[in-house]
Structures are given as structure tokens and as C-alpha cells.
Amino acid sequence: MFARRILHHGPDPAGAPTEITARVVEGCWFELHQQGGCGAGELSLKDGFGDRSAIEIGDWLSFEYEAGERWYLGRVEQRTATSPAGVRLRLEGMGIELNEVFPGGFADDSGDAPPHRFGQTDLFVNDPDHAVETFDSAPDISDLVRLLLQRYVVPATHIQYASSLVEAPVEPAGLESVKFRGEESARSIIKQLALAARGASWGVNAAGTFFFLRPQATLLTVLREGRDLTLLEESRDRELLFNRLLLTGDYVYDVIESGWIARRAYRFRGNYVQPESRELHGERRIRLWIPWIRTPADALLFAREFFRTYADPMSRYALETKGRRTLLLPWTGTVRLEDRNGAVIAVSRLQSLRVLFDQAPRFRLELGPADPRTLWPEPPQDERWELPELQQAGGRVALTGGTSSGNESSEESDAS
């Protein structure tokens, strides 16, 4: 039986909770995401204007279905009070703290941390800051995620790390060399690593523990039109189909010797095409800025997984359920969608879930991949960069095969 509890923990999510009286709760919802874990939430209270400071910005709230069964944990990001009575609290899950962690630094006079390089090998000895960088071996994406959690995230946030919740991809996803200088947030880095790791799920759950998991095939539930759903919409959008990727990465430094030594810098560029998709659908181009990539192998790893997701037309579904007892965690499995006669419409990973947490909880679900233009927005202006004389990265990208070279094969190299 639904016995909703809204708990106020104060500035520490592990603090002793105080229950918010149900009679003052006017409305409540929250979101869970395959990429991010606990997401946005909102709580509306009937508190008087004079009581608006009872919950401060930065305080933590948790939502329980019943005593001891937590469904959500979030931090108060915004408070809006209306006279004479009414307080609305906007929340974000603990994954928001990943936005506040910036691995590495410039090692300047301000006492900034040194640049931090991860990977398998040292390819960039001409970097101006090479002498002051620190290095950790991270032969695989999951190794890098673990190191980021242990070195940077856990010491600076409330996020907990459990080694069992960081999984290696089913197929090897090796890294050559990446360096961070305190410019990208941990969230930005992990978001991009997750795609390269064959679409890993990542985020922070309601217990405050980080996860980075392989795609799960476990069937979470079956939702049938007319029986379980009050809303069913399907959309197929050509705007989300991409088969040419222009990828801009980090700076690469050369030393040119001609009687004197000069250092030249250029941005890593990769131009990748998925030929089967382009032949079927015409050219659909997208530009992405992934600031830590600067080797052909690391770029190809990312490009291949991008095309696996976006090189073919895809359906996305929006659903709304009747009242439900069991919470669906988007990072733990799939949903099977059926028509009124029980025929399968789709079996898909759950991308996002909004829980309407009043009376019997109702779910609003989104199935299908997220819009890459939202995940990786373009900068506001066009940018051109000096091209390297020798290193070229790009080519046709097959959806099978290794990741040892920037070009899929010498016969298929295509920079057009």
C-alpha cells in the first residue's frame, strides 16, 4: 500500500531525516535516467511565506514509497516562495555533484593541480606541460572511470563508490592517451566514456552510489496498450539520423626542427562516415566536440559506437502508465511494449522515467536513444583549425571490427 514519505536530511544526505508532514505536500514528482541516475525533481508545499526558510538551498530530500523503501534522493537547487502560502522546491539528483568536479589542472602559480594523463602509452611528449603532468595507467574505459571516482569524485562529493557497480564493456574498449587539465567536468567526461563503452548506463542511484553498467537485457516489465497505459506515442525522426561525424578533439603539439626548434599546435580532427547508412539515407552530418580525444584509435572507438546508435532511423516512444507499485530503474533492463492484442511493438532500453508521486504513483516513460544534439551541443560559432601535415584521422566506419587504426582500411579510407 502506498504510504509516501518525504524526508528532509539537511545539508548532509546521510543526516538524520525529519519527515515532512503529508498534509503540507501539494505535489511531487521526480525523474530517473539511464544516463545520470536520479535526475530532476520537484516538491510543492503549502507552507506559509514566513516558513519558507525551513528547507534551505543545498539541503537533501529523499522520497520513499513506504518506510524504508527509498525511490529518490535529490538536492534542493532552487526555492520559490509565494505569498501568502506556497513553496516550490526544484531538486537534482546526486549526479549533479559530478558537474562540480574537474579532474586535473594547469599546475600554475595559483596552486592548481597538475595535468593528469590516463591511458596505455605516452604519445604526446611535446606537450608544453609534459614535464609536470601526472600519469595513471588506464588501459580500459572502466579503469579510467574507477580512477576518476577514486581520485577526484569521492573525495570531493557525497557520492559513494562501489567497485561492483563499475563494469567493463562486453567488448574491449581500450584507451590510448587522454589528458585532463581541469577544464571538463567529471560528468562531461563520463557521459562521453559511456557511449564509447557500448552505451553503458551511468549515474548515481537513490542510495547515493555511482554506477557504470553494461547495457542490461533483463526484462523489467511488459506494458500493453489499453491495459497498462493511458498514453502511447511513437515518433520516428529523420533529424536524429547521422552517418557523417566531424569530430574535434584536443590540441596536439609538434616540434619542428629546421635549424631552430619551433612548436606548432593544432586541434585533432576526425572525419568519419558510415557508408551503408549514407547510401540508404543520403548524407546526414553532425559535428561533435569531444575535448579529451586526440588519437585516431580513441576517436574511432567513439565514432563506431555513435554510429551503432544513430546511423539508422529509430523509433522513440512516450508512454504514461496507470498507477503502479514497482519502481522501474532505467539502468537495470528493458521494457517490452505490446499492442492491444499482445503483439510486440518494441523491446527497448528505458531511457528516462518521470514518477508522478501523488496518490498511486504513475510513470511517464521515454524509450529509445537520447537526442545527440542535446548530449553534445555545438558551440555557437563555426571553428576551423590548422590541419596536421602527416596525421590523418577519419574514414568509413564499419559497425564491426577492431579499433586499432583511425582508418577502417587503406582501401576504404574516405576523407570526403
Side-chain angles (χ1 to χ4, degrees):
M1 180 176 179
F2 185 43
R4 180 185 65 186
R5 281 163 44 97
I6 310 295
L7 303 177
H8 177 211
H9 298 268
D12 185 348
T18 301
E19 185 172 359
I20 298 175
T21 307
R23 63 181 176 79
V24 303
V25 177
E26 190 168 46
C28 178
W29 60 264
F30 62 87
E31 293 178 345
L32 304 175
H33 302 288
Q34 180 195 121
Q35 300 180 14
C38 290
E42 186 173 285
L43 177 65
S44 297
L45 304 174
K46 301 174 185 176
D47 282 350
F49 191 77
D51 298 324
R52 63 190 183 281
S53 299
I55 300 177
E56 292 285 357
I57 299 297
D59 283 0
W60 293 88
L61 303 178
S62 62
F63 301 162
E64 295 184 346
Y65 182 90
E66 60 185 16
E69 187 179 342
R70 181 186 291 182
W71 280 20
Y72 177 79
L73 175 67
R75 187 177 72 183
V76 179
E77 300 292 303
Q78 182 184 69
R79 185 185 66 206
T80 304
T82 305
S83 179
V87 176
R88 186 173 71 252
L89 304 171
R90 182 175 62 82
L91 312 174
E92 286 290 344
M94 194 174 283
I96 195 70
E97 293 191 326
L98 295 171
N99 287 344
E100 301 160 5
V101 177
F102 299 88
F106 286 104
D108 55 24
D109 293 338
S110 68
D112 203 14
H116 201 151
R117 180 169 56 84
F118 301 87
Q120 303 180 65
T121 185
D122 188 0
L123 299 175
F124 302 103
V125 297
N126 296 319
D127 286 358
D129 55 9
H130 184 267
V132 297
E133 72 181 22
T134 57
F135 170 73
D136 273 304
S137 175
D140 191 89
I141 282 177
S142 58
D143 298 315
L144 175 51
V145 171
R146 292 176 187 277
L147 288 168
L148 290 174
L149 266 290
Q150 294 169 332
R151 298 276 198 277
Y152 293 100
V153 174
V154 172
T157 69
H158 297 98
I159 296 171
Q160 301 174 56
Y161 165 66
S163 60
S164 61
L165 292 182
V166 177
E167 297 179 340
V170 175
E171 296 181 7
L175 290 169
E176 283 197 331
S177 180
V178 297
K179 183 185 286 188
F180 305 115
R181 299 181 176 90
E183 298 172 280
E184 301 87 36
S185 69
R187 185 185 185 95
S188 173
I189 296 167
I190 291 169
K191 173 181 69 176
Q192 295 154 11
L193 293 173
L195 176 63
R198 297 297 301 269
S201 300
W202 65 273
V204 183
N205 61 26
T209 304
F210 180 85
F211 61 87
F212 190 91
L213 303 172
R214 303 184 193 108
Q216 307 293 309
T218 304
L219 183 63
L220 300 177
T221 190
V222 177
L223 298 176
R224 181 172 295 181
E225 181 187 9
R227 182 190 69 188
D228 307 301
L229 302 175
T230 59
L231 171 70
L232 171 58
E233 293 181 351
E234 179 192 19
S235 64
R236 287 175 67 84
D237 195 341
R238 184 176 168 81
E239 288 299 306
L240 300 183
L241 189 157
F242 300 102
N243 49 42
R244 183 180 175 196
L245 169 61
L246 300 181
L247 191 152
T248 300
D250 198 1
Y251 282 96
V252 179
Y253 298 88
D254 280 348
V255 171
I256 304 172
E257 297 187 26
S258 56
W260 56 281
I261 297 177
R263 176 177 279 121
R264 184 186 68 165
Y266 58 88
R267 290 291 288 270
F268 176 88
R269 295 300 301 270
N271 174 34
Y272 298 95
V273 172
Q274 212 298 301
E276 292 83 5
S277 174
R278 186 168 65 172
E279 183 177 347
L280 284 172
H281 306 294
E283 183 163 304
R284 299 286 303 168
R285 189 202 70 172
I286 189 171
R287 300 184 302 170
L288 299 184
W289 272 251
I290 311 297
W292 49 265
I293 287 180
R294 55 176 176 170
T295 74
D298 290 345
L300 179 59
L301 180 68
F302 182 92
R304 177 173 287 120
E305 300 315 319
F306 181 87
F307 287 144
R308 286 189 204 274
T309 304
Y310 296 107
D312 291 313
M314 57 186 174
S315 293
R316 299 200 299 172
Y317 299 90
L319 321 171
E320 185 166 330
T321 72
K322 300 176 181 178
R324 295 184 66 86
R325 167 64 181 87
T326 304
L327 182 62
L328 303 177
L329 300 178
W331 52 90
T332 60
T334 63
V335 172
R336 187 167 77 224
L337 182 60
E338 297 179 347
D339 67 14
R340 294 177 181 272
N341 299 317
V344 176
I345 299 174
V347 178
S348 175
R349 297 173 70 186
L350 177 55
Q351 181 69 33
S352 158
L353 172 72
R354 175 175 287 202
V355 179
L356 307 177
F357 209 49
D358 297 310
Q359 301 175 358
R362 292 179 294 121
F363 298 163
R364 291 177 181 170
L365 300 84
E366 293 181 10
L367 307 181
D371 188 335
R373 298 166 300 182
T374 301
L375 294 174
W376 298 283
E378 291 191 11
Q381 73 285 336
D382 287 339
E383 298 180 354
R384 289 183 176 270
W385 307 99
E386 179 184 359
L387 292 175
E389 291 183 358
L390 300 176
Q391 177 179 327
Q392 297 293 333
R396 302 183 182 188
V397 178
L399 298 185
T400 59
T403 58
S404 59
S405 170
N407 294 311
E408 286 298 295
S409 69
S410 57
E411 293 84 2
E412 291 190 335
S413 180
D414 184 348
S416 64

